[in-house]
Amino acid sequence: MKALITGITGQDGAYLARFLLGKGYEVFGLYRRTSTPNFWRLLNLGIFDKIRLIPGDMTDIASLSNAVIECEPDEIYNLAAQSFVGTSFEEPLATAQVDGLGVASLLTSIKQINPRIRLYHASTSELYGISESKAKVLLNEQSSFWPASPYAAAKLYAFHQVRIYREAYGIFAVNGILFNHESPLRGLEFVTRKISNGVARIKVGLAETLELGNLDAERDWGYAPEYVEAMWLMLQQDKPDDFVIATGESHSVKEFVEQTCGHLGLDWQEVVVVRERFKRPLDVPCLRGDASRAGQKLGWSPKIHFRELAELMVEEDLKRWNSYLEGQLFPWDAINDQLLYQGHSALLQPPSE
Ligand code: NAP
Ligand code: G4F
């Protein structure tokens, strides 16, 4: 089996690539040119030289079609996105192009090149937005959507494009409505990793405070490596369908700080400073998902829950900062440096060449 992953350099892309390699897949990744290589996650998981990178960008349909033709995939996992909700308020048009129109472009390429390709699309619990979440209800596949950010609006457009191509052209295209999922490979701007990294820095004496925004926001936080398995399971079904993937628990940002600080013996109230600039013009107060349908039909259920997740993240960041203080570069920094010296084009060579 051959799979093409867009967004392979991101958190989910890296874990999914590792998962699919473990299943015996040949894995291709759409890679966009950046001024500095961004392969630390793939290197960290030890899979960089096991995947084939194909240059491309979600805003360039010619490059998407080229990737589909070159890879001839059985399955495509569309994970590429401007995925940070906060940035979508500052860059709404770029977000719409990548997260909305980019998905329409990919569907068009699939329809034209090979409509038998199965497509997983990374949809999101952000679609639910504010209306239902005010009541702190458990959200499922039947709950209504009321997006509260340019990111969510773009993702809602993509959600419907996926459904429309499925219904109109019979393409096996599915939306995974995934609630927040985190890991030590999470980007530093997202709140869980910002906290685990910030708390670890305070613990080793590299910082004194941690600046955050809305401490009352509640999210349903799961563990990313478990969520990528659900993506794969959705493409192994007889019929295409959309599924919610979540833990069923919600916790506040404040609880996440309390848990990580408590684990390292710190008092969260002594280190956290609330800053207006980290608050959003509009914020979803609470998201909590009901994945019971995924449990019944896919046999998927979460294993790692809030407390274990917070602790494993802060422990990993503590380990990283301790090794930094012992004079070692982060392993991924060291390897990225080496790659830079080899020159950018070396990165694009398939492993066999
Ligand atoms: P992430 O770490 O931010 O990764 C995003 C990926 O998209 C990166 O590989 C990035 O490449 C790539 N990308 C961005 N713009 C692109 C463009 N114009 N063309 C090609 N690639 C582009 O996100 P993630 O947490 O892994 O999430 C994966 C997907 O799931 C995203 O679509 C996200 O919106 C969605 N989602 C995530 C969660 C969650 O809690 N993690 C929940 C629900 C849905 P660079 O490395 O070059 O920036
Ligand atoms: O970690 P966050 O930035 O994640 P958010 O906005 O929930 O989005 C993530 O999950 C979505 C699924 O529901 C994905 F679709 C999306 O791609 C992304 O992965 O913020 C979580 C909450 C928000 O309410 C935010 O206002 O934490 C609050 N928060 C409080 N202080 C903060 C901060 N968020 C960030 N990033 N930084 C803060 O200082």
Side-chain angles (χ1 to χ4, degrees):
M1 291 288 279
K2 286 202 263 183
L4 172 65
I5 302 175
T6 72
I8 195 157
T9 53
Q11 171 190 258
D12 291 5
Y15 283 124
L16 178 66
R18 181 178 67 174
F19 176 84
L20 293 176
L21 286 167
K23 291 257 169 219
Y25 277 65
E26 198 178 333
V27 176
F28 294 73
L30 188 84
Y31 151 76
R32 75 178 163 155
R33 191 258 163 195
T34 48
S35 63
T36 308
N38 182 18
F39 298 115
W40 66 273
R41 294 183 174 94
L42 298 170
L43 293 162
N44 189 259
L45 296 180
I47 55 169
F48 179 69
D49 56 359
K50 298 186 175 70
I51 53 178
R52 296 247 332 239
L53 294 169
I54 302 178
D57 193 295
M58 293 304 290
T59 60
D60 182 338
I61 189 171
S63 72
L64 296 180
S65 294
N66 175 61
V68 174
I69 290 167
E70 207 175 299
C71 162
E72 296 183 330
D74 301 288
E75 297 171 358
I76 297 180
Y77 295 84
N78 180 45
L79 310 184
Q82 190 304 93
S83 71
F84 189 51
V85 173
T87 293
S88 78
F89 286 98
E90 285 142 16
E91 299 175 18
L93 300 186
T95 304
Q97 276 177 344
V98 179
D99 300 9
L101 293 178
V103 182
S105 298
L106 185 59
L107 284 159
T108 305
S109 294
I110 291 172
K111 176 172 170 274
Q112 287 178 346
I113 297 165
N114 178 5
R116 288 181 307 284
I117 294 170
R118 293 188 170 201
L119 174 70
Y120 170 87
H121 171 61
S123 193
T124 165
S125 50
E126 268 290 302
L127 299 189
Y128 296 114
I130 285 179
S131 62
E132 300 247 19
S133 78
K134 260 190 185 150
K136 294 195 182 183
V137 292
L138 263 177
L139 298 156
N140 64 23
E141 292 82 359
Q142 307 306 320
S143 306
S144 58
F145 298 140
W146 193 254
S149 64
Y151 165 82
K155 285 278 187 180
L156 183 58
Y157 170 82
F159 175 93
H160 286 302
Q161 287 295 340
V162 168
R163 178 186 57 74
I164 288 164
Y165 272 66
R166 179 167 77 211
E167 291 172 5
Y169 307 117
I171 292 176
F172 194 114
V174 303
N175 289 293
I177 308 171
L178 271 52
F179 283 63
N180 300 47
H181 44 281
E182 320 292 315
S183 74
L185 299 188
R186 186 64 145 145
L188 281 167
E189 68 275 43
F190 297 96
V191 79
T192 54
R193 183 79 201 292
K194 183 176 174 183
I195 294 170
S196 65
N197 184 56
V199 168
R201 281 171 59 82
I202 292 168
K203 179 69 182 175
V204 300
L206 287 171
E208 288 179 359
T209 55
L210 171 61
E211 297 186 351
L212 294 169
N214 177 9
L215 299 183
D216 297 324
E218 291 181 34
R219 291 291 183 273
D220 180 331
W221 283 300
Y223 185 43
E226 294 178 356
Y227 284 47
V228 300
E229 181 175 9
M231 299 175 184
W232 175 76
L233 284 167
M234 284 181 218
L235 292 195
Q236 312 314 309
Q237 303 307 300
D238 293 336
K239 287 187 188 152
D241 207 350
D242 303 334
F243 288 94
V244 162
I245 299 296
T247 70
E249 289 171 36
S250 68
H251 295 271
S252 67
V253 172
K254 190 169 82 182
E255 283 176 86
F256 200 92
V257 193
E258 274 178 326
Q259 191 65 45
T260 46
C261 281
H263 190 62
L264 298 193
L266 299 169
D267 180 347
W268 77 273
Q269 281 166 310
E270 286 178 6
V271 299
V272 169
V273 179
V274 173
R275 295 277 183 229
E276 286 304 308
R277 70 170 180 276
F278 293 116
K279 292 187 178 169
R280 295 175 183 168
L282 201 56
D283 200 6
V284 178
C286 175
L287 289 173
R288 188 159 70 99
D290 172 7
S292 50
R293 204 161 149 275
Q296 287 153 17
K297 300 210 167 181
L298 306 179
W300 182 91
S301 61
K303 315 235 164 7
I304 291 195
H305 291 269
F306 176 75
R307 183 182 168 154
E308 203 180 338
L309 175 67
E311 292 181 359
L312 75 82
M313 286 180 70
V314 77
E315 275 177 22
E316 189 61 29
D317 276 317
L318 185 63
K319 221 189 296 170
R320 286 165 174 164
W321 285 111
N322 274 327
S323 71
Y324 169 80
L325 288 174
E326 284 160 12
Q328 297 163 20
L329 271 174
F330 290 168
W332 47 91
D333 282 348
I335 301 168
N336 261 348
D337 281 352
Q338 267 178 34
L339 291 173
L340 274 173
Y341 285 122
Q342 285 169 17
H344 222 62
S345 60
L347 303 174
L348 302 176
Q349 300 302 319
S352 55
E353 289 176 13

